[in-house]
Amino acid sequence: MQHEEIDLINEEEHSTTELIVPDGQRPKQLLIMPIQNRPFFPAQVMPVLIKHGDWSETLKQVSQTDHQMLALFYSEEFDRDQAFNPEVLPKTGCMVRVHQVKESDEGDVQFIAEGIERVQIESWVRKEHPYLANVSYPGEPVGETKEIKAYAMALISAIKEMLPINPLLSEELKDYLNRFGPNEPSPLTDFGAAITTAPAPLLQEVLDNVELLPRMQKTLALLKKELDASRLHSEIAEEVNRKISKHEREFFLREQLKIIQRELGVAKDDKTADMEEFQSRLKGKTLPEAVEKKLKEEMQKFSVLEAGSPEYGVTRNYLDWITQMPWGITGTDKLDLAQARKVLNKHHDGLDDVKDRILEFLALGAFKGEISGSIILLVGPPGVGKTSIGRSIAECLSRPFYRFSVGGMRDEAEIKGHRRTYIGAMPGKLVQALKEAEVMNPVIMLDEIDKMGASYQGDPASALLETLDPEQNVNFLDHYLDLRLDLSKVLFICTANTLDSIPSPLLDRMDVIHLSGYLAQEKLAIAKHHLWPRQLERAGIKRSQLKITEPALKKVINDYCREAGVRSLDKSLAKLVRKSVVELLDDPTKNISLGLKAIPTLLGPARFREEQTLSGVGIVTGLAWTSMGGATLPVEANSIHEQNRALKVTGHLGDVMKESAEIAFSFISSHLGKYGGEESYFDKRFVHLHVPEGATPKDGPSAGITISTALLSLALGKAPKTKLAMTGEITLNGYVLAVGGIREKLIAAKRQGITEVILPEECRGDFDELPEHVRDGLTVHFVRHFDEVAKLAFD
């Protein structure tokens, strides 16, 4: 009857039917339950948690059977809260005996599953809850070969190695030994796979393998991987514990040492040590009354603050800054003019006018007994030595030198500091300079002052007004310190490339010194005495190994480096040294001498060509100032046709120069008869005025008389003198106005072989200040009106 009852189980009677197992036989039908995470093995005894769902009915029916058995199959896509597809179950599962079923208030069910043996589904009896299937049991392998025994010994050895690393496995091993003998290879293999943390698909492969030898091979591989991972994890954990233990030990020992030292009176806590350090810094300093009062308040507050308080760090940093300031400490100036002249000549060739101006400044300080309240502004093109002159001034006075660039600065807090209410607040650059210099009268250089910006964070140029004004910087206020500082004894040196972008109120507070650039002779001296020796020293080359001739240096200066400064010259010499080093590496005993022929080979084609002096009717040579020092500027005028009166101007000219052309055209048109020309010449003529090299932008109020002379030459049909150049602005009434850049323009004229120059009368003083070697070989005429220009140009 019992066999018949098993065969007659159907879906309609599932609520009351029980699975009855005869003694000594396995059930032919089993209720099926999917599990997540990993497959269940016959050698396992593990708790299984079932979240709320329809599976409680399955466990209820299992409890009503005599055998209390259930088939567990691993399912990747299984969701306990929803129905699953029975067709996706793997080939092999595990028959388990269910023990100690418990249900929580939330509907969760937990039971202990005892793995019995492998089971496979033959056919489905019911494909809905509770799932029921006809099952078969793959036969366990029988017999033991030497190979199986060897693998079993290897498995036992691997499991023994894992026990010390993972002590939790000892409890699972006890459960296994209570159910199986140590010499049973099949359950041993399943147990070995079950204790690993291998991915579920690999474990399912072991479960699907009924043949013992392939199963043992797979399990041994999984155990070896697990053992390697466990060893690595154990080593990492030991290393971490070792470091933590070492740090803890050091911490406790330090704390004990502090307590012992404090008891013996040989040490103090951190706060006491900081306070004593702050007090010791004030020795020898003369604090103003306001500073002393503020310091006492902050020290009192610091003494009652807890070390863990946020205010503790803020107060400590403030005291750190305020006690390091050189209150009342000033350095002694070394006002020796002879020594100052030696220092300036040692570091700089040329710039005699600048040196004289600096010596005058130092002489005034020597006469007065101190140098204070002075702000020097060095203006000049890049590379002329503005920063190095500042260093030389500091060396002349034996004062500390501090430099910082204000180029691109947009935040006024860089000058005046941040307020202490901000996180990460710091004092301004001036306070940092005084701290580093350790005196109240250093030389502070503000580089690139013409390149400051402004933003929503403030205007640094306006903040500098208080800094650089001798009437105000006696009481300069830094926002971080919130104390008045006396900056009147500081010597400020500012540098700029141009005055145009410096605000007028700021420029008004500074004493301007112009550095107009170097002559070719001065560049040659600088290269010989400073640049070339410095490049050899940097490269580690002896002077006997690498030499350069003077003609070669002149070629580098004239053909590659015509800029006002010497930075480009320094780079070119560095390139010569680098290329020569390659040769020296091939033959260290070789001595190289660089001559004229070597320069084009090493530096490539010349950057500057010889400027052509154009001549003829309507062509006049003008003089122009550029950032590279100066150049000749030929101006051409020509008549295109006589159909209408017009003036066309080309050559990439700026607005100022276009206005000069229009003024010159109007003046010559209205005064042509005065200079011997036909008065109606320009009435119906289309005149084209061109300044060659149109790709180069040109602008400035210095081409007025040049353009006027070119137009007059066109109208008279007469070419002006050769070897003649001129510069100056003109008015509508023919008066000649002063222009700048006289030094650079005359240098360009001499380089071009020009012997006669016309300058405005108002520039006579600039000409007289030029060095003698610049004026030599030039015939200079000073004019007030264009009448004089016309006489000189056309005899």
Side-chain angles (χ1 to χ4, degrees), residues 172-185:
E172 296 186 41
L173 185 60
K174 287 179 183 178
D175 293 336
Y176 166 79
L177 293 175
N178 287 336
R179 300 172 57 223
F180 304 100
N183 297 322
E184 297 181 60

Side-chain angles (χ1 to χ4, degrees), residues 287-496:
L287 274 64
E289 186 178 344
V291 175
E292 192 169 358
K293 181 180 178 183
K294 182 73 173 178
L295 185 62
K296 285 181 180 179
E297 292 174 358
E298 293 295 327
M299 291 284 278
Q300 178 64 30
K301 182 170 71 172
F302 182 68
S303 64
V304 299
L305 286 172
E306 293 294 331
S309 168
E311 188 72 15
Y312 180 88
V314 174
T315 306
R316 188 190 180 284
N317 288 340
Y318 180 78
L319 289 171
D320 188 40
W321 274 101
I322 198 173
T323 54
Q324 289 191 78
M325 292 295 293
W327 303 107
I329 299 176
T330 55
T332 304
D333 289 337
K334 188 177 181 182
L335 299 172
D336 185 346
L337 291 185
Q339 179 64 24
R341 187 176 282 106
K342 285 183 182 178
V343 171
L344 290 173
N345 290 331
K346 173 185 174 184
H347 295 301
H348 303 277
D349 280 298
L351 299 179
D352 292 333
D353 50 345
V354 177
K355 293 178 186 175
D356 292 340
R357 177 66 186 83
I358 292 170
L359 288 172
E360 292 168 8
F361 168 77
L362 297 177
L364 184 62
F367 184 80
K368 183 181 175 183
E370 65 172 355
I371 294 177
S372 60
S374 302
I375 297 96
I376 299 174
L377 175 61
L378 301 174
V379 182
V384 295
K386 298 184 294 295
T387 303
S388 59
I389 284 177
R391 293 183 184 276
S392 298
I393 293 174
E395 185 177 341
C396 292
L397 295 172
S398 297
R399 287 193 184 187
F401 179 78
Y402 185 90
R403 173 197 167 275
F404 67 94
S405 176
V406 295
M409 185 181 290
R410 293 178 174 270
D411 188 357
E412 67 173 16
E414 293 284 333
I415 303 294
K416 303 193 71 174
H418 305 82
R419 301 190 185 278
R420 278 199 289 163
T421 51
Y422 296 110
I423 295 174
M426 286 187 66
K429 289 287 187 181
L430 297 172
V431 171
Q432 296 177 38
L434 295 178
K435 173 192 169 185
E436 186 170 322
E438 298 182 350
V439 292
M440 293 297 287
N441 61 339
V443 175
I444 298 179
M445 172 167 279
L446 309 178
D447 235 344
E448 310 293 350
I449 200 169
D450 57 326
K451 298 179 180 62
M452 279 189 297
S455 69
Y456 67 94
Q457 294 171 316
D459 183 6
S462 299
L464 278 178
L465 292 177
E466 181 185 358
T467 307
L468 301 181
D469 191 340
E471 300 298 325
Q472 298 182 48
N473 62 14
V474 179
N475 292 311
F476 173 77
L477 178 66
D478 182 85
H479 290 156
Y480 180 83
L481 295 182
D482 200 22
L483 293 169
R484 299 288 176 178
L485 295 171
D486 183 3
L487 301 182
S488 61
K489 293 181 174 58
V490 176
L491 175 57
F492 289 100
I493 301 177
C494 306
T495 69

